[in-house]
Amino acid sequence: MNAMYRDSEGDVWMADPHEPGNYFVGDGDISMPIDKVRERYGPLEVRADGSREFVREEESLEALLRRVVREELDRRFGRVHA
């Protein structure tokens, strides 16, 4: 069994059985690699096999800087990236 991830909006991402390496949210309409999920939503919380709780992942310095810049751009100009 694979780890499950929760993003900053509270959505839970699970391994996509149809596309190995991808994770999906909700009814499977959105499926992407977990690295893309991290880029879009910032640091994730992870629940590994057998665990009952989500634990926040460590965020690299580069990821932190990217997130801060993206949030500041969103604040100043609205959401301009996809």
Side-chain angles (χ1 to χ4, degrees), residues 1-6 12-16 22-24 34 38 44-51 54 57:
M1 183 171 205
N2 293 321
M4 294 182 356
Y5 297 89
R6 184 166 54 192
V12 175
W13 293 80
M14 296 170 277
D16 189 335
N22 279 6
Y23 283 74
F24 74 94
I34 202 66
R38 283 187 189 101
L44 303 173
E45 294 177 321
V46 62
R47 184 167 73 186
D49 298 336
S51 175
F54 283 95
E57 289 184 316

Side-chain angles (χ1 to χ4, degrees), residues 26-64:
D27 58 6
D29 286 346
I30 302 173
S31 177
M32 65 181 80
I34 202 66
D35 291 337
K36 294 283 186 190
V37 177
R38 283 187 189 101
E39 285 178 22
R40 186 173 290 181
Y41 297 102
L44 303 173
E45 294 177 321
V46 62
R47 184 167 73 186
D49 298 336
S51 175
R52 293 182 181 188
E53 297 179 9
F54 283 95
V55 178
R56 189 173 175 108
E57 289 184 316
E58 290 293 321
E59 188 173 20
S60 70
L61 180 59
E62 179 183 359
L64 173 64

